[in-house]
Amino acid sequence: KAGVTQTPRYLIKTRGQQVTLSCSPISGHRSVSWYQQTPGQGLQFLFEYFSETQRNKGNFPGRFSGRQFSNSRSEMNVSTLELGDSALYLCASSPSQGRGNEQYFGPGTRLTVT
Amino acid sequence: QKEVEQNSGPLSVPEGAIASLNCTYSDRGSQSFFWYRQYSGKSPELIMFIYSNGDKEDGRFTAQLNKASQYVSLLIRDSQPSDSATYLCAVRGMKGGSYIPTFGRGTSLIVHP
């Protein structure tokens, strides 16, 4: 099976702009989660989608939003970019929700905000 | 207190030795536990997961879970230089009606020839 794919892999934006990142999960996986990884804060959970519904959200401001489509593909949007949003954004897919929810990560999108 | 704590390391072991990585967590309601390996510049890769107290073995890797003491560990037998990476512990518990993973900051492992 093909792994999790994320596009674009690299992105440079300026403060105040908005950005949309895309994630295609492993075929058959219905759950998609998004994470932000920075050297200072480590890996932090943004939100999780299952069957097109946001199941939970981490402690990030409303500028961070997402959605999931019927084919399980997901997008994440960040509006009004700030310098502190520079990070590696990782998408992870899982077969389902619940306790047995081992996640498989994509290669990430490296976002640089200038 | 951080929810998931790991010693940042680096933990340095000789090739062929056993590497022992530890993780403690604060939420007693946590139900599933995961170990990921992350090479520099790459995304995390799932090594194994464990739900029940005791040991779980997969090849050279053994995960150990002790819910009473709130720790989970990963043993790597016959360590190889290719095992040199950062190992992330993730703990998943029920929050807001869903299972949310919280990651530790990771332990850097160096296996020297």
Side-chain angles (χ1 to χ4, degrees):
Chain A
K1 280 185 179 179
V4 179
T5 58
Q6 291 186 245
T7 56
R9 294 292 310 279
Y10 302 91
L11 206 49
I12 299 175
K13 292 285 188 179
T14 56
R15 280 180 298 174
Q17 288 186 313
Q18 75 167 23
V19 66
T20 299
L21 311 182
S22 181
C23 171
S24 292
I26 293 171
S27 178
H29 284 196
R30 297 172 61 193
S31 177
V32 172
S33 297
W34 288 89
Y35 295 86
Q36 182 194 67
Q37 188 172 36
T38 61
Q41 299 297 322
L43 198 59
Q44 292 185 288
F45 172 78
L46 280 156
F47 29 65
E48 179 178 25
Y49 285 87
F50 180 79
S51 294
E52 302 178 63
T53 302
Q54 187 179 91
R55 298 296 174 157
N56 215 321
K57 192 175 188 299
N59 190 26
F60 278 81
R63 301 185 296 107
F64 292 81
S65 62
R67 59 178 176 169
Q68 186 180 34
F69 302 96
S70 59
N71 61 358
S72 295
R73 190 177 69 85
S74 178
E75 288 182 347
M76 189 191 88
N77 184 275
V78 187
S79 62
T80 319
L81 284 167
E82 301 177 358
L83 294 179
D85 296 334
S86 295
L88 179 67
Y89 289 89
L90 292 161
C91 164
S93 79
S94 307
S96 62
Q97 261 198 313
R99 190 181 76 156
N101 196 355
E102 63 269 24
Q103 299 186 323
Y104 299 89
F105 284 85
T109 294
R110 175 73 63 183
L111 172 64
T112 301
V113 182
T114 62
Chain B
Q1 181 187 7
K2 293 181 181 177
E3 294 186 54
V4 179
E5 294 207 48
Q6 295 181 256
N7 188 318
S8 62
L11 172 66
S12 181
V13 301
E15 184 175 356
I18 296 175
S20 178
L21 305 163
N22 299 311
C23 171
T24 59
Y25 59 95
S26 60
D27 182 3
R28 285 195 171 274
S30 299
Q31 298 191 23
S32 48
F33 308 84
F34 305 84
W35 282 100
Y36 291 85
R37 175 175 62 195
Q38 187 171 26
Y39 293 110
S40 180
K42 301 293 186 181
S43 58
E45 171 192 9
L46 179 66
I47 298 174
M48 61 191 306
F49 53 89
I50 186 168
Y51 307 138
S52 305
N53 276 330
D55 295 1
K56 180 181 178 182
E57 186 174 319
D58 184 359
R60 295 187 297 113
F61 300 96
T62 299
Q64 299 175 319
L65 175 61
N66 184 321
K67 289 188 176 182
S69 300
Q70 295 177 245
Y71 82 80
V72 57
S73 61
L74 180 69
L75 301 179
I76 306 175
R77 290 181 299 280
D78 188 25
S79 295
Q80 301 297 310
S82 60
D83 294 325
S84 298
T86 295
Y87 288 79
L88 301 170
C89 169
V91 174
R92 199 170 181 103
M94 178 69 86
K95 291 182 182 178
S98 186
Y99 288 98
I100 299 302
T102 302
F103 283 76
R105 298 297 301 276
T107 297
S108 174
L109 173 66
I110 299 173
V111 181
H112 54 86

